[in-house]
Amino acid sequence: MYTVKLFAILAEQVGQAEVQLQLPTPITAGAVKAAMQAAFPQTSSVLADCLVAVNQTFIDQEEFAPSEVTELALIPPVSGG
Amino acid sequence: MYTVKLFAILAEQVGQAEVQLQLPTPITAGAVKAAMQAAFPQTSSVLADCLVAVNQTFIDQEEFAPSEVTELALIPPVSGG
Amino acid sequence: MVKVRENAVHYVAIAAQPLDVQALYEKLKAPQFGGIVTFVGTVRQWTADVETHAIEYTAYTEMALKELTKLATTIEAQGANVVIVHRVGHLALTDEAVFVGVAAAHRGDAFKWCEYLINAVKQQVPIWKKEFDTDKIRWGGLE
Amino acid sequence: MVKVRENAVHYVAIAAQPLDVQALYEKLKAPQFGGIVTFVGTVRQWTADVETHAIEYTAYTEMALKELTKLATTIEAQGANVVIVHRVGHLALTDEAVFVGVAAAHRGDAFKWCEYLINAVKQQVPIWKKEFDTDKIRWGGLE
């Protein structure tokens, strides 16, 4: 099980600032979003627009071994400024 | 005789903040500069780059009757900011 | 709580307290820089016919600091001082949400870099706004 | 001595005392404006290999105020708050020579208008600088 941090609307939809998800190896952005969607289907429409961050860096198509991952987060569309 | 205000390097070259000049009618930018050059030839090179202001407004080719002129000034190249 | 990163770059922070615009401006000044451009984003009342009365900002603080540091480093490497601070928490009308300042030798660069930075902050730094409008609550970035 | 014109436009002035950046910034804030861009020009030490240690600014004050008012009015008519203040007198390194601030609904306009205004101030407002450089005295605009 991996801890995945949630923020903003995503955290509100789930009612938690982080969730535990089962993830396949290697870990990819697609795998994180798919696991989130399966566990919390109410986040589905927001998830479509989310990015994934591994170790506080946005990832795109990269693959990660479990040993490389110390922090996972789902990032809803940002709106600072 | 007309009072003409001087500023910056022009005032330093003459050692005065204003001068009295005899001007023809109508009053034009060219006439002010020509009269200044005749009276204070040491200002010649700076005068070439000066503008003339009538009543605190830059003038170009306009002509003014004496009754229209309440304030005359020679404006060296500006360098604020 | 103010989280700050001040090693490589001049000053970036995520701040829970009101921004001190004067103090942030002072950090930018230096004898080698003649032009200082700052952008401050404040909470605006009207967006078309939607009336806002408050905004709550949240951040993924550690990652936001990393992203701000990357942005500031890129510009400072070109010869500038950069200060970027973003508020989190509950903001009222006209409260400062973000301060982006660039000091450079020449003003053209300072304008260009400051505008680049605020655009980049809005596009890639994990900070979110929850807008309390008269008609309903809106999450920024979603509509 | 501070000469001020504050009727039609928000605030323009020729100031003999140091600029209070915080106070000038505060004049720009308003609920309808979400983006505030300010430019501050400070006395810079180096221009290529010329070292400056002080600048003396003088102005044709009444005409400078008229020109500043014209500039500010043009931009305020497009929907903005404008503040422009220029120092006169003897300035040391890093002292503020000019403050130009624009508050607008959207940041793109605020950046564009602020840069337009400082360029216009430098081109058409009767203010002069006498630069005290290490090698000699230079009058701005003449070399």
Side-chain angles (χ1 to χ4, degrees):
Chain A
M1 295 291 272
Y2 291 83
T3 300
V4 178
K5 292 177 182 287
L6 304 179
F7 297 94
I9 189 172
L10 209 54
E12 283 205 359
Q13 288 182 333
V14 174
Q16 297 167 216
E18 55 184 50
V19 292
Q20 303 293 318
L21 296 177
Q22 193 84 45
L23 297 174
T25 300
I27 292 165
T28 63
V32 174
K33 291 169 74 167
M36 183 69 188
Q37 165 129 22
F40 301 94
Q42 73 270 33
T43 63
S44 169
S45 73
V46 172
L47 266 183
D49 293 323
C50 283
L51 296 176
V52 173
V54 170
N55 306 339
Q56 302 174 0
T57 301
F58 289 115
I59 67 167
D60 182 22
Q61 299 299 323
E62 301 92 315
E63 303 188 342
F64 292 83
S67 63
E68 297 175 297
V69 175
T70 55
E71 191 167 310
L72 277 170
L74 275 160
I75 313 285
V78 305
S79 54
Chain B
M1 296 289 273
Y2 291 83
T3 300
V4 178
K5 292 177 182 288
L6 306 179
F7 298 95
I9 190 172
L10 211 53
E12 283 204 358
Q13 287 181 334
V14 174
Q16 297 167 216
E18 54 183 52
V19 292
Q20 303 294 318
L21 296 177
Q22 194 83 43
L23 296 175
T25 299
I27 292 165
T28 63
V32 174
K33 289 169 78 167
M36 183 70 189
Q37 165 130 20
F40 301 93
Q42 71 271 34
T43 62
S44 170
S45 73
V46 172
L47 266 183
D49 293 323
C50 283
L51 296 175
V52 173
V54 170
N55 305 340
Q56 303 175 0
T57 300
F58 289 114
I59 67 167
D60 181 23
Q61 300 298 324
E62 302 90 316
E63 304 187 342
F64 293 83
S67 63
E68 297 175 298
V69 175
T70 55
E71 189 167 309
L72 277 169
L74 276 159
I75 312 285
V78 306
S79 54
Chain C
M1 176 213 69
V2 180
K3 296 268 182 113
V4 170
R5 203 165 281 200
E6 196 172 6
N7 38 358
V9 304
H10 211 68
Y11 189 82
V12 303
I14 300 294
Q17 300 303 318
L19 305 191
D20 182 340
V21 169
Q22 176 75 25
L24 297 177
Y25 164 77
E26 291 293 337
K27 289 180 192 293
L28 292 162
K29 283 172 69 171
Q32 71 270 36
F33 298 135
I36 300 174
V37 173
T38 69
F39 171 81
V40 176
T42 56
V43 176
R44 190 180 62 210
Q45 183 169 22
W46 293 95
T47 301
D49 57 351
V50 172
E51 184 178 7
T52 298
H53 53 91
I55 292 182
E56 189 174 276
Y57 284 97
T58 54
Y60 181 3
T61 303
E62 294 304 325
M63 182 173 169
L65 285 172
K66 276 193 183 178
E67 293 292 319
L68 292 178
T69 301
K70 276 186 222 167
L71 289 171
T73 303
T74 303
I75 297 303
E76 295 212 333
Q78 297 176 68
N81 279 349
V82 170
V83 168
I84 313 176
V85 182
H86 203 296
R87 262 301 295 280
V88 290
H90 194 83
L91 278 71
L93 284 187
T94 79
D95 282 355
E96 285 84 4
V98 61
F99 176 100
V100 177
V102 176
H106 301 287
R107 70 185 183 284
D109 286 335
F111 275 105
K112 182 180 63 181
W113 291 335
C114 186
E115 190 165 16
Y116 164 80
L117 285 171
I118 180 59
N119 288 339
V121 166
K122 285 170 168 271
Q123 282 158 19
Q124 70 193 68
V125 179
I127 299 171
W128 298 272
K129 72 171 167 187
K130 184 180 185 181
E131 217 176 82
F132 296 84
D133 299 328
T134 306
D135 58 335
K136 62 171 180 169
I137 289 173
R138 285 179 175 78
W139 282 95
L142 293 181
E143 336 201 354
Chain D
M1 174 213 70
V2 180
K3 297 268 182 112
V4 171
R5 202 162 281 199
E6 197 172 8
N7 37 359
V9 305
H10 211 67
Y11 188 83
V12 302
I14 301 293
Q17 299 304 317
L19 305 191
D20 183 340
V21 170
Q22 175 74 26
L24 297 177
Y25 164 76
E26 291 293 337
K27 289 180 190 294
L28 292 162
K29 284 170 70 170
Q32 71 270 37
F33 298 135
I36 300 173
V37 174
T38 70
F39 171 81
V40 176
T42 56
V43 177
R44 190 180 60 210
Q45 184 169 20
W46 293 96
T47 301
D49 56 352
V50 172
E51 184 178 6
T52 299
H53 53 91
I55 292 183
E56 189 173 276
Y57 284 97
T58 54
Y60 182 3
T61 303
E62 293 305 325
M63 181 173 169
L65 285 171
K66 276 194 184 178
E67 293 291 321
L68 292 178
T69 302
K70 276 186 222 167
L71 289 172
T73 303
T74 304
I75 297 303
E76 295 211 332
Q78 297 176 69
N81 279 350
V82 171
V83 168
I84 312 177
V85 182
H86 203 296
R87 262 300 295 281
V88 290
H90 194 84
L91 278 70
L93 286 187
T94 77
D95 280 357
E96 284 84 5
V98 60
F99 176 100
V100 177
V102 176
H106 300 286
R107 70 184 183 283
D109 286 336
F111 274 104
K112 182 180 64 182
W113 291 336
C114 186
E115 191 165 16
Y116 165 80
L117 285 171
I118 180 59
N119 289 338
V121 166
K122 285 172 167 271
Q123 282 158 18
Q124 71 193 67
V125 179
I127 299 172
W128 298 273
K129 71 172 168 187
K130 184 181 185 180
E131 218 177 81
F132 296 84
D133 299 328
T134 305
D135 58 333
K136 63 171 181 170
I137 288 173
R138 285 178 174 80
W139 282 95
L142 293 181
E143 332 200 1

